[in-house]
């Protein structure tokens, strides 16, 4: 969590002259997001976030991410809305980096989401899926099932170092999810967030106030987004599944968009797959992050503990579906 | 520039319940200040900054710093005003650290202050001195002349590494400032900021909007504060004295509080002393900061270049006084 690129006041003033936002009255680097530089920006016209995209963001994906947020904002789904310059252009350049100004979203990210927040998250995940139903752009999920064996390659020793016996378990997860995928029917697809962790959701008290950080958004099975959220919202202290929270999240989702039988049946496999995806990227970060790095990598074992739960789950009701 | 201590939403809510500020609607770590953790905090009642004091702040100094800001705010001098809890207490504890909520100050810190901003800074430095005239608490300048030989001890080799011949020059600066001090008359004293660099001053355009970061404030010669500002505001690209900017700063100050002859006469020595103070602390940070630290130390040579200018200056007019 850091600001990687500093912006001089001259450059900021020049940048703002391309917008109809008036002049800056406040500008502070904020420690939000690990991949980009974000600034709190206040002008005569209100509060905004200025984002500079750093190395890890693929510039060719940025128009898609902007379009997702613009589409959601147009449908009144609360998210950071990209602000157009006087020329109608949203993605510009500042200090040699792609840059965008988005609207400021009120709310706080819950450290330990409660049951009411899990329910609200489920409801709004479904609303987001519905709002994106007529969004026509597509993006492949670059961290989908095909990527997992690639990420895994050559890392079984690292997994064994973390927890003896883990390597064989992960192999079995890869096999099982691949087999299940081959057999499962086509699931309803659409635009998903794919990374809706509690730090990417805002609440005021228990009231949902918006979603941020769409930089993993892609076209994939809608129910996979639910599986990501169950992993991210309903496990406590790294490993314990909180049945009430999971049930609340699923009930919230269903209150807006009821799951189809095919989605319900495949939920344990999707949860296992989502846990694998985060296990794999954390394992890569764990190995590749130098010990003196600014950002401490997250422990992959949080996700091997989740995988242990998913391996035993046999149906959606094990997650609180219909409870 | 980082957030060192994270604050959970539960702890924040409990902390806020001791205030009459309503509940949090936004809370973001900001990359401001290198010594403390600062958060942008918005509640039903407005915008604030929450500061958690980290290791380097001496807890016994904090009540003094709070009192300085409260005194200034009462006199309508723009600075972050410490907000009282329901019990009237300003300094509280959060996540095991002393913590304070202060009012939010609009404005941006200039990267390269222009002449108009230098003039405004001079004016407002004098206003600040006047507003603090009846402030009765005292604090010794722990980085005053007595500290310089202590900081210097054992570091001449480091100085030589940075620039051959520098060690002898610094010794001559220490001698000259000590001798001048012994001979100089008592100067008007009061409460000074002692660290009023451009990143601690806010402007909206060329309009001064406030001063932050009073964590070096102390009781000392008022003119020493001017000397710090001349070093911090009127040199460009590390070494070049911008006569117009220095003249504007001094004229601005004098437009509010004309210098006494004793202050005017000793200005070159005070400037040399102020440059020594920042040279010394930068030299210490340069030596003591591990290469993998979050905060990159500032180059002490910026201040040896300023010292070269001050060594040649013979009167206040060399700084643009009366120009």
């Amino acid at each position: 969590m850091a600001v990687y690129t500093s912006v001089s006041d001259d450059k900021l003033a020049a940048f703002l002259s391309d917008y109809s936002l008036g002049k800056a009255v406040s500008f502070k680097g904020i420690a939000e997001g690990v991949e980009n530089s974000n600034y709190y920006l206040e002008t005569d016209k209100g509060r905004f976030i200025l984002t500079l995209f750093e190395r890890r963001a693929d510039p060719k994906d940025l128009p898609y991410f902007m379009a997702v947020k613009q589409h959601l904002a147009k449908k009144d789904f609360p998210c950071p809305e990209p602000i157009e310059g006087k020329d109608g252009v949203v993605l510009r350049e500042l200090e040699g980096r792609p840059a965008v100004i988005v609207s400021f979203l009120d709310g706080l990210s819950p450290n330990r989401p409660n049951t009411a927040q899990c329910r609200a998250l489920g409801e709004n995940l479904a609303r987001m899926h519905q709002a994106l139903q007529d969004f026509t752009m597509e993006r492949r999920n670059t961290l989908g099932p095909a990527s997992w064996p690639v990420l895994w390659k050559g890392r079984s020793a690292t997994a064994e170092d973390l927890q003896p016996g883990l390597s064989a378990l992960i192999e079995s997860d890869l096999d099982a999810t691949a087999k299940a995928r081959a057999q499962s029917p086509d699931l309803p697809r659409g635009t998903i967030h794919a990374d809706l962790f509690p730090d990417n959701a805002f609440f005021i008290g228990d009231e949902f106030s918006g979603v941020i950080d769409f930089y993993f958004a892609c076209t994939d099975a809608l129910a996979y987004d639910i599986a990501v959220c169950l992993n991210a919202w309903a496990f406590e202290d790294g490993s314990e599944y909180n049945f009430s929270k999971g049930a609340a999240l699923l009930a919230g989702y269903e209150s807006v968009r009821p799951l189809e039988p095919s989605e319900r049946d495949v939920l344990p496999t999707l949860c296992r797959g989502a846990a694998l995806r985060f296990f794999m990227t954390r394992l890569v970060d764990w190995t590749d992050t130098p010990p003196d790095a600014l950002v401490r990598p997250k422990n992959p074992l949080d996700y091997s503990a989740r995988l242990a739960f998913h391996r035993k789950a046999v149906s959606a009701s094990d997650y609180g579906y219909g409870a």
Side-chain angles (χ1 to χ4, degrees), chain A residues 31-166:
Chain A
E32 197 161 270
V34 290
E35 313 240 328
N36 301 316
S37 298
N38 289 295
Y39 286 89
Y40 172 80
L41 166 68
E42 200 174 321
T43 77
D44 309 332
K45 296 289 164 63
R47 299 167 303 154
F48 304 91
I49 299 288
L50 167 67
T51 300
L52 277 74
F53 297 98
E54 305 290 344
R55 310 150 292 279
R56 254 174 107 163
D58 187 339
K60 78 173 176 353
D61 283 336
L62 296 178
Y64 172 85
F65 300 139
M66 298 302 123
V68 170
K69 292 191 273 194
Q70 287 180 299
H71 188 94
L72 285 173
K74 228 170 274 166
K75 299 263 179 128
D76 288 325
F77 184 86
C79 73
E81 180 179 10
I83 307 293
E84 293 180 353
K86 289 171 186 167
D87 54 3
V89 174
V90 147
L91 268 171
R92 316 188 79 87
E93 197 184 285
L94 179 56
E95 300 281 5
R97 279 154 181 83
V100 65
I101 294 176
V102 297
S103 60
F104 186 92
L105 214 58
D106 275 341
L108 283 77
S109 297
N111 300 74
R112 281 174 71 93
N114 62 32
T115 306
Q117 290 168 332
C118 287
R119 191 188 158 88
L121 189 274
E123 277 171 34
N124 283 284
L125 179 66
R127 279 202 190 103
M128 191 183 76
H129 288 166
Q130 288 186 333
L132 288 165
Q133 232 160 12
D134 57 347
F135 181 67
T136 53
M137 286 174 78
E138 300 226 342
R139 182 178 172 266
R140 192 174 66 85
N141 185 354
T142 51
L143 291 170
S147 73
W148 307 337
V150 181
L151 294 171
W152 175 242
K153 206 170 171 239
R155 297 191 194 269
S156 66
T158 312
E160 285 298 303
D161 279 352
L162 283 167
Q163 190 184 295
L166 183 56

Side-chain angles (χ1 to χ4, degrees), chain A residues 1-313:
Chain A
M1 300 210 296
V3 172
Y4 301 95
T5 303
S6 38
V7 178
S8 77
D9 41 0
D10 288 353
K11 291 263 178 66
L12 176 66
F15 185 73
L16 281 176
S17 70
D18 289 332
Y19 291 85
S20 304
L21 297 175
K23 65 180 182 203
V25 298
S26 190
F27 188 62
K28 294 179 194 298
I30 60 177
E32 197 161 270
V34 290
E35 313 240 328
N36 301 316
S37 298
N38 289 295
Y39 286 89
Y40 172 80
L41 166 68
E42 200 174 321
T43 77
D44 309 332
K45 296 289 164 63
R47 299 167 303 154
F48 304 91
I49 299 288
L50 167 67
T51 300
L52 277 74
F53 297 98
E54 305 290 344
R55 310 150 292 279
R56 254 174 107 163
D58 187 339
K60 78 173 176 353
D61 283 336
L62 296 178
Y64 172 85
F65 300 139
M66 298 302 123
V68 170
K69 292 191 273 194
Q70 287 180 299
H71 188 94
L72 285 173
K74 228 170 274 166
K75 299 263 179 128
D76 288 325
F77 184 86
C79 73
E81 180 179 10
I83 307 293
E84 293 180 353
K86 289 171 186 167
D87 54 3
V89 174
V90 147
L91 268 171
R92 316 188 79 87
E93 197 184 285
L94 179 56
E95 300 281 5
R97 279 154 181 83
V100 65
I101 294 176
V102 297
S103 60
F104 186 92
L105 214 58
D106 275 341
L108 283 77
S109 297
N111 300 74
R112 281 174 71 93
N114 62 32
T115 306
Q117 290 168 332
C118 287
R119 191 188 158 88
L121 189 274
E123 277 171 34
N124 283 284
L125 179 66
R127 279 202 190 103
M128 191 183 76
H129 288 166
Q130 288 186 333
L132 288 165
Q133 232 160 12
D134 57 347
F135 181 67
T136 53
M137 286 174 78
E138 300 226 342
R139 182 178 172 266
R140 192 174 66 85
N141 185 354
T142 51
L143 291 170
S147 73
W148 307 337
V150 181
L151 294 171
W152 175 242
K153 206 170 171 239
R155 297 191 194 269
S156 66
T158 312
E160 285 298 303
D161 279 352
L162 283 167
Q163 190 184 295
L166 183 56
S167 177
L169 290 167
I170 297 296
E171 302 277 0
S172 76
D173 294 324
L174 286 168
D175 280 354
T177 47
K179 263 182 211 136
R181 254 179 80 77
Q183 291 161 3
S184 78
D186 283 344
L187 297 169
R189 289 167 66 85
T191 307
I192 68 167
H193 185 285
D195 192 39
L196 220 180
F197 277 61
D199 35 333
N200 290 333
F202 283 174
F203 290 82
I204 298 175
D206 290 344
E207 202 85 32
F208 170 85
S209 66
V211 169
I212 63 166
D213 204 345
F214 287 78
Y215 304 115
F216 290 96
C218 56
T219 317
D220 206 337
L222 299 180
Y224 180 70
D225 230 4
I226 307 175
V228 169
C229 289
L230 284 170
N231 275 287
W233 292 71
F235 284 83
E236 285 176 352
D237 304 321
S239 58
E240 199 82 29
Y241 188 71
N242 185 312
F243 192 83
S244 321
K245 291 186 180 178
L249 197 157
L250 287 165
Y253 191 92
E254 284 234 316
S255 73
V256 176
R257 177 187 164 263
L259 291 188
E260 295 187 7
S262 61
E263 295 177 290
R264 190 193 57 210
D265 294 344
V266 84
L267 198 64
T269 308
L270 290 176
C271 284
R272 197 167 171 184
L276 263 182
R277 172 254 182 268
F278 290 103
F279 175 82
M280 291 303 176
T281 50
R282 286 191 176 194
L283 190 67
V284 171
D285 289 344
W286 192 258
T287 330
D288 295 356
T289 306
D292 61 352
L294 280 167
V295 180
R296 197 83 63 79
K298 290 172 182 163
N299 194 335
L301 288 183
D302 289 350
Y303 277 83
S304 69
R306 282 165 172 75
L307 282 166
F309 179 88
H310 301 314
R311 272 174 222 131
K312 287 188 204 138

